[in-house]
Amino acid sequence: MVATNTTRATLPPDAAGPRAGHPGRRGLSPQAEGMLALLVTVSIWAAFALSARALSGSSLLPADAALLRFGVPLVVLFPALWRRRRAIAAVRPGPAVKIVCGAGVPFFLAAMHGGALTSAAFVGSIVPGMVPLFVSAIMIRRGHAAPRGTQAAGLALIAAGVAALVWRYVVPVDTDVLVGAGTLLVASGLWALYTVGLREVDLDPIGSIGLLCLPSFAVIGALVLTGVLPTGIAHAAGGDIALFLVVQGLGVGLCAGLLYAFAIRRLGAERSAVFGSLSPVAVVLLAVPLLGETPTLAVLVGVPLITAGVVLANRRPRPKVPADA
């Protein structure tokens, strides 16, 4: 799951290119291209949740996965990032801190630790699912009006879904799962901070990736070199390194952000956000064959509630048309 600054990428679908059937266009229509990009993006978001859970059984340590997550995009995008160096350096400190803290090392370590203590379904549901609620809380604190109507109902469904997920671990108390769920809530709150920060900068998706990955890679590298975080990448299995390089580095770090921005150009922000809400469902379905997880009753109740809540929370009220229009 990756968010990027789509300020420049929120054109109406028709503005993104020729219409389907245009005489000079061959292949897929813009809508089909957008749906394909979203399908790949949701798959990558699901892979992030699965990898967060799989890391606990991997020969890699969290610091190793973080090095791959933030280092690979820097290597692949280096020429493009160099051309954007002035724009990245011109970002104000406030938004930059929100972005780096919200999706950088603190978020990554929280998501990985929470996934190790819970399940892929928890990661895939709580982290992206709670973001609309946290964003709304931030906006209200800034003086914006509280959500109403379907958006308020969506936020209530999200909260109910998370409560359904953790309820069975409250009585009797399962400390590990509750700590893990709380850590995932912290990760979700950080991602909401990242989302708000992206709205405050004027960078394209590649510039946003650079702003996030450069300081994050520097921080995780410093923590590893000073011994604060242990590393085992030198002795890790080649298959584990390849898996996290593809999923975290190329998938989450690079492809998801670019593809999601592309999908928004083709389909619009609202349709993209609603389709993206299917990520928790994909995680639950994929966790069965890949990780051997069996969906519990709490998951079967909580995940649909969170998914429905995200769909409603992302709906924007239609502007009222004057009666004499």
Side-chain angles (χ1 to χ4, degrees):
M1 70 165 239
V2 169
T4 61
N5 184 8
T6 54
T7 303
R8 300 180 180 180
T10 53
L11 300 176
D14 290 344
R19 294 176 182 268
H22 189 278
R25 184 183 184 89
R26 295 181 180 180
L28 297 175
S29 67
Q31 289 74 20
E33 290 176 346
M35 291 301 294
L36 180 61
L38 267 181
L39 180 62
V40 176
T41 301
V42 170
S43 300
I44 293 172
W45 287 345
F48 171 83
L50 295 171
S51 67
R53 177 57 179 161
L55 183 63
S56 60
S58 166
S59 58
L60 290 173
L61 297 176
D64 304 325
L67 288 171
L68 295 173
R69 158 69 180 89
F70 299 114
V72 171
L74 293 177
V75 174
V76 175
L77 296 175
F78 179 77
L81 293 175
W82 179 256
R83 291 193 296 269
R84 292 164 172 80
R85 64 188 184 280
R86 291 187 177 85
I88 295 174
V91 174
R92 292 179 291 113
V97 169
K98 293 175 186 175
I99 290 171
V100 175
C101 291
V105 175
F107 164 80
F108 187 85
L109 295 180
M112 295 297 112
H113 182 64
L117 295 176
T118 56
S119 67
F122 271 62
V123 180
S125 301
I126 292 178
V127 176
M130 285 292 292
V131 169
L133 198 150
F134 282 121
V135 170
S136 295
I138 294 173
M139 293 296 101
I140 292 174
R141 182 175 177 82
R142 290 184 170 186
H144 292 254
R148 298 179 180 178
T150 56
Q151 290 182 324
L155 297 180
L157 284 178
I158 291 171
V162 172
L165 280 178
V166 303
W167 180 253
R168 61 169 295 199
Y169 302 101
V170 175
V171 181
V173 174
D174 188 324
T175 305
D176 285 346
V177 173
L178 292 179
V179 170
T183 307
L184 293 176
L185 286 173
V186 172
S188 182
L190 288 170
W191 193 267
L193 192 67
Y194 170 60
T195 303
V196 173
L198 283 176
R199 297 176 182 178
E200 299 173 355
V201 301
D202 186 23
L203 292 174
D204 64 3
I206 293 178
S208 298
I209 291 174
L211 177 62
L212 168 64
C213 290
L214 183 58
S216 298
F217 184 77
V219 168
I220 200 70
L223 293 175
V224 168
L225 290 175
T226 56
V228 176
L229 289 179
T231 177
I233 196 167
H235 308 289
D240 289 341
I241 295 175
L243 174 63
F244 279 84
L245 186 150
V246 172
V247 172
Q248 292 287 353
L250 295 176
V252 178
L254 182 63
C255 294
L258 300 179
L259 287 172
Y260 192 58
F262 176 83
I264 288 178
R265 285 186 64 89
R266 292 293 188 260
L267 302 175
E270 183 174 343
R271 290 178 64 188
S272 298
V274 170
F275 192 91
S277 67
L278 296 177
S279 174
V281 178
V283 172
V284 173
L285 295 177
L286 291 173
V288 176
L290 296 180
L291 298 178
E293 293 186 1
T294 301
T296 63
L297 179 60
V299 169
L300 295 176
V301 173
V303 170
L305 285 175
I306 292 172
T307 300
V310 172
V311 172
L312 292 177
N314 278 298
R315 290 187 63 183
R316 295 181 180 181
R318 296 181 179 180
K320 296 181 179 180
V321 179
D324 55 351

Coordinates of all heavy atoms in Angstrom, one line a residue, residues 161-203:
G161 N -15.6 -2.4 12.4 CA -14.8 -3.5 11.9 C -13.6 -3.8 12.6 O -13.2 -5.0 12.9
V162 N -12.9 -2.8 13.0 CA -11.6 -3.0 13.8 C -12.0 -3.5 15.2 O -11.3 -4.4 15.7 CB -10.9 -1.6 14.0 CG1 -9.7 -1.8 15.0 CG2 -10.4 -1.1 12.6
A163 N -13.1 -3.1 15.8 CA -13.5 -3.6 17.1 C -13.9 -5.1 16.9 O -13.6 -5.9 17.8 CB -14.7 -2.8 17.6
A164 N -14.5 -5.5 15.8 CA -14.8 -6.9 15.6 C -13.6 -7.7 15.5 O -13.6 -8.9 15.9 CB -15.7 -7.0 14.3
L165 N -12.5 -7.2 14.9 CA -11.3 -7.9 14.7 C -10.6 -8.2 16.0 O -10.1 -9.3 16.2 CB -10.3 -7.1 13.8 CG -10.5 -7.2 12.3 CD1 -9.5 -6.3 11.6 CD2 -10.4 -8.6 11.8
V166 N -10.6 -7.3 16.9 CA -9.8 -7.4 18.2 C -10.7 -7.9 19.3 O -10.1 -8.3 20.4 CB -9.2 -6.1 18.6 CG1 -8.3 -5.6 17.4 CG2 -10.2 -5.0 18.9
W167 N -12.0 -8.0 19.2 CA -12.8 -8.3 20.4 C -12.5 -9.6 21.0 O -12.4 -9.8 22.2 CB -14.3 -8.2 20.0 CG -15.2 -8.5 21.1 CD1 -16.0 -9.6 21.3 CD2 -15.5 -7.6 22.3 NE1 -16.7 -9.5 22.5 CE2 -16.4 -8.3 23.1 CE3 -15.0 -6.4 22.6 CZ2 -16.8 -7.7 24.3 CZ3 -15.4 -5.8 23.8 CH2 -16.3 -6.5 24.7
R168 N -12.3 -10.6 20.2 CA -12.1 -12.0 20.7 C -10.8 -12.1 21.5 O -10.6 -13.1 22.2 CB -12.2 -13.0 19.6 CG -11.1 -12.8 18.5 CD -11.0 -14.0 17.6 NE -10.6 -15.2 18.3 CZ -10.1 -16.3 17.7 NH1 -10.0 -16.3 16.4 NH2 -9.7 -17.3 18.4
Y169 N -9.9 -11.1 21.3 CA -8.6 -11.2 22.0 C -8.6 -10.3 23.3 O -7.6 -10.2 23.9 CB -7.5 -10.7 21.0 CG -7.4 -11.5 19.8 CD1 -8.0 -11.0 18.6 CD2 -6.8 -12.7 19.8 CE1 -7.9 -11.8 17.4 CE2 -6.8 -13.5 18.6 CZ -7.3 -13.0 17.4 OH -7.3 -13.7 16.3
V170 N -9.8 -9.7 23.5 CA -9.9 -8.9 24.8 C -10.3 -9.8 25.9 O -9.8 -9.7 27.1 CB -10.9 -7.8 24.6 CG1 -11.1 -7.0 25.9 CG2 -10.4 -6.8 23.5
V171 N -11.2 -10.7 25.7 CA -11.7 -11.7 26.7 C -11.7 -13.1 26.2 O -12.5 -13.5 25.3 CB -13.2 -11.3 27.1 CG1 -13.6 -12.3 28.2 CG2 -13.3 -9.9 27.6
P172 N -10.7 -13.9 26.6 CA -9.6 -13.6 27.5 C -8.5 -12.8 26.8 O -8.5 -12.8 25.6 CB -9.1 -15.0 27.9 CG -9.3 -15.8 26.7 CD -10.7 -15.3 26.2
V173 N -7.7 -12.1 27.6 CA -6.7 -11.2 27.0 C -5.6 -12.0 26.3 O -5.0 -12.9 26.9 CB -6.1 -10.3 28.1 CG1 -5.0 -9.4 27.5 CG2 -7.2 -9.4 28.7
D174 N -5.3 -11.6 25.1 CA -4.2 -12.1 24.3 C -3.3 -10.9 24.1 O -3.4 -10.1 23.2 CB -4.6 -12.7 23.0 CG -3.5 -13.4 22.3 OD1 -2.3 -12.9 22.4 OD2 -3.7 -14.4 21.6
T175 N -2.3 -10.8 25.0 CA -1.4 -9.6 25.0 C -0.7 -9.4 23.7 O -0.6 -8.2 23.2 CB -0.4 -9.7 26.1 OG1 -1.0 -9.9 27.4 CG2 0.4 -8.4 26.2
D176 N -0.2 -10.4 23.1 CA 0.6 -10.3 21.9 C -0.3 -9.7 20.7 O 0.1 -8.7 20.1 CB 1.2 -11.6 21.4 CG 2.4 -12.0 22.2 OD1 2.9 -11.2 23.0 OD2 2.8 -13.2 22.2
V177 N -1.5 -10.2 20.6 CA -2.3 -9.7 19.5 C -2.8 -8.3 19.8 O -2.8 -7.5 18.8 CB -3.6 -10.7 19.3 CG1 -4.5 -10.1 18.3 CG2 -3.1 -12.0 18.9
L178 N -3.1 -8.0 21.0 CA -3.6 -6.6 21.3 C -2.4 -5.6 21.1 O -2.7 -4.5 20.6 CB -4.1 -6.6 22.7 CG -5.4 -7.3 23.0 CD1 -5.8 -7.2 24.4 CD2 -6.5 -6.9 22.1
V179 N -1.2 -6.0 21.5 CA -0.1 -5.1 21.3 C 0.2 -4.9 19.8 O 0.4 -3.8 19.3 CB 1.2 -5.6 22.0 CG1 2.4 -4.9 21.6 CG2 1.0 -5.5 23.5
G180 N 0.1 -6.1 19.1 CA 0.2 -6.0 17.6 C -0.8 -5.1 17.0 O -0.5 -4.3 16.1
A181 N -2.1 -5.3 17.4 CA -3.1 -4.4 16.8 C -2.9 -3.0 17.2 O -3.1 -2.1 16.3 CB -4.5 -4.9 17.3
G182 N -2.5 -2.7 18.4 CA -2.2 -1.3 18.7 C -1.1 -0.7 17.9 O -1.1 0.4 17.5
T183 N 0.0 -1.5 17.6 CA 1.1 -1.1 16.8 C 0.6 -0.8 15.4 O 1.1 0.2 14.8 CB 2.2 -2.1 16.8 OG1 2.6 -2.5 18.2 CG2 3.4 -1.6 16.1
L184 N -0.3 -1.6 14.9 CA -0.8 -1.4 13.5 C -1.7 -0.1 13.5 O -1.7 0.6 12.5 CB -1.6 -2.6 13.1 CG -0.9 -3.9 12.8 CD1 -1.8 -5.0 12.5 CD2 0.2 -3.7 11.7
L185 N -2.3 0.2 14.6 CA -3.1 1.4 14.7 C -2.1 2.6 14.6 O -2.4 3.6 14.0 CB -3.9 1.5 15.9 CG -5.2 0.6 15.9 CD1 -5.8 0.6 17.3 CD2 -6.2 1.1 14.9
V186 N -1.0 2.5 15.3 CA 0.0 3.5 15.2 C 0.5 3.7 13.8 O 0.7 4.8 13.3 CB 1.2 3.2 16.1 CG1 2.4 4.2 15.9 CG2 0.8 3.3 17.6
A187 N 0.8 2.6 13.1 CA 1.2 2.6 11.7 C 0.1 3.3 10.8 O 0.5 4.1 9.9 CB 1.5 1.2 11.2
S188 N -1.1 3.0 11.1 CA -2.2 3.6 10.3 C -2.2 5.1 10.5 O -2.4 5.9 9.6 CB -3.5 3.0 10.6 OG -4.6 3.5 9.9
G189 N -2.1 5.5 11.8 CA -2.1 6.9 12.1 C -0.9 7.7 11.4 O -1.0 8.8 10.9
L190 N 0.3 7.0 11.4 CA 1.4 7.6 10.7 C 1.1 7.7 9.2 O 1.5 8.7 8.6 CB 2.6 6.7 10.9 CG 3.2 6.7 12.3 CD1 4.3 5.7 12.5 CD2 3.8 8.1 12.6
W191 N 0.5 6.7 8.6 CA 0.2 6.8 7.2 C -0.8 7.9 6.9 O -0.7 8.6 5.9 CB -0.4 5.4 6.7 CG -0.5 5.4 5.2 CD1 -1.5 5.7 4.4 CD2 0.6 5.0 4.3 NE1 -1.2 5.5 3.1 CE2 0.1 5.0 3.0 CE3 1.9 4.5 4.6 CZ2 0.9 4.7 1.9 CZ3 2.7 4.2 3.5 CH2 2.2 4.3 2.2
A192 N -1.7 8.1 7.8 CA -2.7 9.3 7.7 C -1.9 10.6 7.7 O -2.2 11.5 6.9 CB -3.7 9.3 8.8
L193 N -0.9 10.7 8.5 CA 0.0 11.9 8.6 C 0.7 12.0 7.2 O 0.8 13.1 6.7 CB 1.0 11.7 9.7 CG 1.8 13.0 10.1 CD1 0.9 14.0 10.7 CD2 2.9 12.6 11.1
Y194 N 1.2 10.9 6.7 CA 1.8 10.9 5.4 C 0.9 11.4 4.3 O 1.2 12.3 3.4 CB 2.3 9.5 5.1 CG 2.8 9.3 3.7 CD1 3.8 9.9 3.1 CD2 2.2 8.3 2.9 CE1 4.3 9.7 1.9 CE2 2.6 8.0 1.6 CZ 3.7 8.7 1.1 OH 4.1 8.4 -0.2
T195 N -0.4 10.9 4.3 CA -1.4 11.3 3.4 C -1.6 12.8 3.4 O -1.7 13.5 2.4 CB -2.7 10.6 3.6 OG1 -2.5 9.2 3.6 CG2 -3.8 10.9 2.6
V196 N -1.8 13.4 4.6 CA -2.0 14.8 4.8 C -0.8 15.6 4.3 O -0.9 16.6 3.6 CB -2.3 15.1 6.3 CG1 -2.3 16.7 6.5 CG2 -3.6 14.5 6.7
G197 N 0.4 15.1 4.6 CA 1.7 15.7 4.2 C 1.8 15.8 2.6 O 2.2 16.8 2.1
L198 N 1.3 14.8 1.9 CA 1.4 14.8 0.5 C 0.5 15.8 -0.1 O 0.8 16.3 -1.2 CB 1.0 13.4 0.0 CG 2.0 12.3 0.1 CD1 1.4 11.0 -0.4 CD2 3.3 12.6 -0.7
R199 N -0.6 16.2 0.5 CA -1.4 17.2 0.0 C -0.8 18.6 0.1 O -1.3 19.6 -0.5 CB -2.8 17.2 0.8 CG -3.6 15.9 0.7 CD -4.8 16.0 1.5 NE -5.6 14.7 1.4 CZ -6.7 14.5 2.1 NH1 -7.2 15.4 2.9 NH2 -7.4 13.4 1.9
E200 N 0.2 18.7 0.9 CA 0.8 20.0 1.2 C 2.1 20.3 0.3 O 2.7 21.3 0.5 CB 1.2 20.1 2.7 CG 0.0 20.0 3.6 CD 0.3 19.9 5.0 OE1 1.6 19.9 5.3 OE2 -0.6 19.9 5.9
V201 N 2.5 19.3 -0.5 CA 3.7 19.5 -1.3 C 3.3 19.5 -2.8 O 2.3 18.9 -3.2 CB 4.7 18.4 -1.1 CG1 5.2 18.4 0.4 CG2 4.2 17.0 -1.4
D202 N 4.1 20.1 -3.6 CA 3.8 20.2 -5.0 C 4.9 19.4 -5.8 O 5.8 19.9 -6.4 CB 3.9 21.6 -5.5 CG 3.5 21.8 -7.0 OD1 2.8 20.8 -7.5 OD2 3.8 22.8 -7.6
L203 N 4.8 18.0 -5.6 CA 5.8 17.1 -6.3 C 5.0 16.1 -7.1 O 3.9 15.7 -6.7 CB 6.6 16.4 -5.2 CG 7.6 17.2 -4.4 CD1 8.3 16.3 -3.4 CD2 8.7 17.8 -5.3

